Amino acid sequence: MKKAILIAVAMLIAPIAAIAADYKEGVHYTVINQGPATAKPEIAEFFSFYCPHCFNFAKTEVPKIKANLPEGVVFKQNHVEFIGKEMGIEMSRAFAVAHQLKVDAKIEHALFSAIHEKKQHFTNRDDIRQLFITNGVDGKDFDAAANSFMVSAQMSQMKRATSNAKISGVPALVVNGKYRVETAAIKSYDELLDIAYYLTTMK
């Protein structure tokens, strides 16, 4: 009986191993640097509030990533500046402000909804400030955070990470600071996540 159970488990594991073995560098992922991987395994998402695919990804896939992260793996998000012209920078600032004020989830949802569902047109930082106020953030708290060193540092970090990973389209995933998942060869978001989870085991 024990032998039968072991055989059954082996049969279940074999297809997973076969799939993982089929993930090839240069096809399913790209090595973006030859240095060491991050100290701890991580999956980093790159996105823009102006990107409709990112809006869908935030609704359907980000919750899956957070719910199914392998033990010890960290999930991070980086807003890119290259979509939305000058407002791309302000949206990165808004994301960093929300993080510093610990209202990430509420503000992320509000910004995506305002842009893609309500078709709101943001023209300056004051428009974003008003959205924060509407969602329960004191205007003075927004101003202090928006002009803080911590927000500037996070914006610089996200911009540097975007450049280092050579991100040209979003949503995108980078694993362990070393592997960029390529979307051209995949057939679904599920496969995208499978590749990302597989890459967390690589150094």
Side-chain angles (χ1 to χ4, degrees):
M1 179 67 180
K2 184 177 180 181
K3 184 177 181 181
I5 292 173
L6 290 174
I7 292 172
V9 170
M11 290 178 68
L12 288 172
I13 293 174
I16 297 173
I19 292 171
D22 286 338
Y23 293 147
K24 297 180 176 65
E25 179 184 343
V27 178
H28 299 96
Y29 64 92
T30 297
V31 178
I32 59 174
N33 72 72
Q34 297 303 320
T38 50
K40 294 183 179 180
E42 68 173 42
I43 296 174
E45 179 204 12
F46 292 79
F47 78 101
S48 168
F49 285 120
Y50 284 113
C51 164
H53 298 297
C54 297
F55 178 39
N56 291 328
F57 195 81
K59 288 190 296 182
T60 64
E61 306 308 313
V62 170
K64 291 182 187 177
I65 296 175
K66 292 179 177 179
N68 298 295
L69 274 178
E71 185 176 356
V73 177
V74 176
F75 177 63
K76 296 182 177 181
Q77 290 176 290
N78 298 278
H79 189 274
V80 302
E81 296 182 359
F82 58 76
I83 300 176
K85 297 182 180 179
E86 67 276 2
M87 286 309 297
I89 298 173
E90 289 304 325
M91 288 297 171
S92 285
R93 188 186 311 279
F95 179 73
V97 168
H99 178 73
Q100 293 300 321
L101 297 179
K102 302 188 187 318
V103 290
D104 312 54
K106 180 186 290 187
I107 295 301
E108 181 178 330
H109 173 75
L111 280 169
F112 269 131
S113 178
I115 293 170
H116 299 286
E117 295 177 331
K118 300 174 183 177
K119 307 303 180 183
Q120 183 174 341
H121 184 56
F122 291 88
T123 59
N124 52 50
R125 192 185 303 181
D126 286 340
D127 291 343
I128 297 173
R129 182 179 188 270
Q130 186 55 54
L131 180 139
F132 272 75
I133 293 172
T134 300
N135 284 275
V137 175
D138 187 276
K140 292 181 180 179
D141 291 339
F142 174 88
D143 295 336
N147 295 303
S148 70
F149 169 78
M150 293 301 294
V151 162
S152 294
Q154 184 174 349
M155 291 174 67
S156 295
Q157 181 276 321
M158 292 190 296
K159 185 174 183 178
R160 185 167 56 252
T162 301
S163 177
N164 289 344
K166 298 179 175 61
I167 301 295
S168 59
V170 286
L173 297 179
V174 171
V175 182
N176 295 352
K178 191 175 177 71
Y179 308 102
R180 186 184 65 232
V181 182
E182 299 299 339
T183 57
I186 65 171
K187 300 178 178 64
S188 67
Y189 278 146
D190 284 343
E191 187 176 7
L192 178 73
L193 301 191
D194 285 344
I195 296 170
Y197 294 145
Y198 164 68
L199 292 171
T200 61
T201 65
M202 297 179 63
K203 299 295 185 182

